[in-house]
Amino acid sequence: MANFVGTWEDTGEREGYEEFAKAMGFSEEMMEKFRGTKYTLKYSINGNTWTLNLSSTFFPGKEKSYTYESGKEFCDTGLDGKEIRNTVTVVNDNEIQEDMKIKNDDSWREYKLTRTVDGANMTSIVNAFGKTMRSKQRRL
């Protein structure tokens, strides 16, 4: 778990972005906006309680803080204000999995996210709508 502690910056390296964005129903304009978006994640752990501070260049000046326990669902809102339900599970010291639901209009969209740490590098793999996107982060 401690391998996640610290600040991680998105490298901008994405694999499968086009197909994933199209499956999400993004317009060409939205695809271009999100293509250059970079995220910063800061993890801290106190006992069984995790805190994630998330910011994004897509929402400049906004930061969102999430506090949760492994394996327990929490409800909150995303940077965009949409309702989310998320369960983060620690698989081992180098891997966490997230089962996330995001409310979109009157329905919930489901996402599976796996984050793995290898030294100063983290890989995030998100699966939804039958598509997969990989992104890379580096420890600051």
Side-chain angles (χ1 to χ4, degrees):
M1 295 184 325
N3 293 337
F4 284 89
V5 172
T7 303
W8 300 85
E9 181 179 68
D10 195 39
T11 64
E13 186 179 334
R14 289 183 179 79
E15 182 182 309
Y17 171 75
E18 296 282 333
E19 296 81 15
F20 189 82
K22 286 177 185 175
M24 287 183 63
F26 281 7
S27 66
E28 288 294 323
E29 182 182 351
M30 278 299 259
M31 285 175 63
E32 280 306 311
K33 283 183 178 180
F34 271 107
R35 184 183 322 281
T37 298
K38 291 190 177 184
Y39 294 89
T40 301
L41 303 93
K42 183 178 180 184
Y43 286 100
S44 60
I45 304 170
N46 184 5
N48 291 328
T49 302
W50 287 60
T51 299
L52 167 63
N53 292 310
L54 175 66
S55 61
S56 163
T57 58
F58 195 78
F59 302 100
K62 275 189 166 182
E63 183 174 289
K64 188 73 183 175
S65 183
Y66 302 100
T67 301
Y68 54 90
E69 290 185 33
S70 177
K72 293 184 180 179
E73 183 181 73
F74 67 94
C75 301
D76 209 317
T77 56
L79 284 168
D80 59 3
K82 291 183 180 180
E83 289 180 64
I84 63 169
R85 294 180 183 165
N86 199 2
T87 304
V88 181
T89 305
V90 176
V91 176
N92 59 49
D93 286 345
N94 296 313
E95 183 177 333
I96 57 175
Q97 293 182 348
E98 298 182 38
D99 292 313
M100 183 185 306
K101 296 177 185 172
I102 301 175
K103 191 164 189 180
N104 194 32
D105 298 321
D106 292 330
S107 63
W108 291 89
R109 291 185 170 186
E110 294 188 25
Y111 300 80
K112 303 276 187 204
L113 176 64
T114 301
R115 296 187 196 275
T116 55
V117 172
D118 182 12
N121 298 300
M122 180 166 46
T123 302
S124 299
I125 303 170
V126 62
N127 294 290
F129 320 109
K131 302 295 179 186
T132 300
M133 181 178 70
R134 294 176 188 269
S135 61
K136 304 271 183 174
Q137 296 78 37
R138 67 176 164 261
R139 187 185 308 271
L140 295 180

